[in-house]
Amino acid sequence: MQRPGISILFVVALAGAAAAQPAPTEPAPPAPTEPPASTEPAPAAPSEPPGPMSAPSLEKRVGEALASRGVALARHNFALRIEQSGERWTASLVDRNGRVAASTHVDRLPDEPEAAAAALTSAVVELDAQVSQRVNEFKFKLLSVRFAPSYLADARLKRGTRQWQLYRGSRDQELGSPEFYQMVGRDDLAQSYQHRRYAMYGAYLAGGVAFGTAAVLTVINESRYEPCNMIEGEGGLVCVNQQHHSLAPVIIALAVGLVGVGVGTYYQRTPQPIDEDDAKSLADAYNRELRGKLGLTAEAHAPRLRDLAVAPYAGGSGAGVTVGARF
């Protein structure tokens, strides 16, 4: 047992060394010592962690909720911005330049993050619906078609039932007839309109050529009777017959010219293949379809009165007035 022996000798040696030293008269007071440094780390300064109710976190939650509902703010080039001022939260739709296009406020949100995000999402969805409504109404005003009002002084000036002026949008952009027919899906009417224009030009051209021909024939076929004045008897009569030129070619050319001018005038005064009422029906159908594509509610229009007939009547039971109308 080697370890116990070593322990005893070591204790004895220590005891002997202690006995050899002189005993102190009075123990000295212990020197003041600094408290031992603590090994535990000092508590850090309190900081505000980005909790679940911060504006960036709510902005992310609301963006994900909008995407799950199929609401795409980017279709109008808008982005979402959420800001907090005390207990009031503001959700704004901003454009690419950071300018606020529309905003809505929620005075107080629930304390639970999911409920707060749901409340803000509902507010943003309603705001987006209102903005989309205004944007689509603005698009409709730019793309819709209208006719010149019939109550204006110059609305019916120098035009017949197949002459009208179309306007597009709130800027009163004049719309040509071929473009209008193509807009409403009636390419056949656009082709018919072009054919009527070509017929007008051709008729005027033919009339001008015919009048020119009549003028030339008048000069060429001028009868010259001076030489026949020197001839007496039957010879003079024969000379007159020889110098006489028929006016039939001139008359025919004049008739052709008059027909050409008449046809050209007709197509000029009636350039449209349909009348104004039918054109307005096409325009109304186009505007209704445009409203449907933009998601706007259709406007209720009163039926348009086309024909009105008033006639008095008298009978055995009395007299009165009959009114007939076609819508």
Side-chain angles (χ1 to χ4, degrees), residues 12 19 44 52 66 71 87 102 118 129 150 160 224 236 254 278-279 296 304 318-319:
V12 171
L66 292 175
V71 178
E87 293 185 353
S150 58
R224 301 180 183 276
L254 289 175
D278 293 334
L296 302 175
R304 185 169 60 247

Side-chain angles (χ1 to χ4, degrees), residues 94-271:
V94 296
D95 58 13
R96 294 179 178 179
N97 298 324
R99 294 173 297 189
V100 176
S103 61
T104 184
H105 306 285
V106 179
D107 291 332
R108 184 178 179 85
L109 288 177
D111 297 332
E112 205 277 326
E114 294 295 336
L120 267 180
T121 301
S122 299
V124 173
V125 168
E126 183 178 356
L127 179 64
D128 177 71
Q130 295 176 1
V131 171
S132 298
Q133 180 79 8
R134 293 180 182 179
V135 171
N136 290 336
E137 288 178 355
F138 180 74
K139 289 181 178 179
F140 178 79
K141 290 181 179 179
L142 289 179
L143 301 177
S144 59
V145 177
R146 68 177 182 84
F147 285 75
S150 58
Y151 55 80
L152 294 181
D154 58 344
R156 294 277 181 179
L157 185 63
K158 295 182 181 179
R159 67 185 182 96
T161 58
R162 294 195 178 186
Q163 288 180 318
W164 59 78
Q165 181 59 59
L166 284 165
Y167 297 97
R168 184 177 188 180
S170 56
R171 299 178 181 177
D172 292 339
Q173 175 188 1
E174 292 189 6
L175 190 65
S177 297
E179 186 178 0
F180 166 69
Y181 291 136
Q182 292 175 356
M183 282 175 50
V184 299
R186 295 297 303 270
D187 293 339
D188 57 330
L189 294 179
Q191 294 177 359
S192 179
Y193 175 83
Q194 293 294 350
H195 293 162
R196 296 173 76 89
R197 300 294 291 179
Y198 295 151
M200 181 191 69
Y201 296 142
Y204 278 140
L205 179 61
V209 172
F211 283 132
T213 302
V216 173
L217 291 176
T218 301
V219 175
I220 294 177
N221 291 342
E222 183 180 2
S223 300
R224 301 180 183 276
Y225 300 111
E226 290 82 2
C228 301
N229 293 333
M230 305 299 296
I231 305 175
E232 297 180 357
E234 295 182 359
L237 183 59
V238 172
C239 179
V240 170
N241 292 334
Q242 291 176 351
Q243 294 296 326
H244 176 73
H245 297 285
S246 175
L247 296 178
V250 177
I251 295 174
I252 293 175
L254 289 175
V256 171
L258 291 175
V259 171
V261 172
V263 172
T265 303
Y266 169 77
Y267 283 121
Q268 183 179 7
R269 293 185 58 84
T270 59

Side-chain angles (χ1 to χ4, degrees), residues 28-96:
T33 58
E34 296 180 358
S38 175
T39 58
E40 296 182 359
S47 60
E48 185 179 352
M53 287 293 290
S54 63
S57 62
L58 279 178
E59 194 171 294
K60 181 179 179 181
R61 287 174 178 264
V62 173
E64 294 174 351
L66 292 175
S68 64
R69 292 191 182 188
V71 178
L73 302 179
R75 71 186 186 279
H76 297 314
N77 297 324
F78 289 149
L80 176 64
R81 179 194 297 170
I82 296 179
E83 299 171 318
Q84 181 185 11
S85 177
E87 293 185 353
R88 192 179 196 186
W89 294 82
T90 302
S92 304
L93 301 182
V94 296
D95 58 13
R96 294 179 178 179

Side-chain angles (χ1 to χ4, degrees), residues 287-312:
N287 290 336
R288 286 195 301 269
E289 184 179 359
L290 180 61
R291 280 186 170 275
K293 290 180 180 179
L294 295 176
L296 302 175
T297 56
E299 291 183 343
H301 293 283
R304 185 169 60 247
L305 183 63
R306 294 187 177 182
D307 295 330
L308 178 65
V310 180

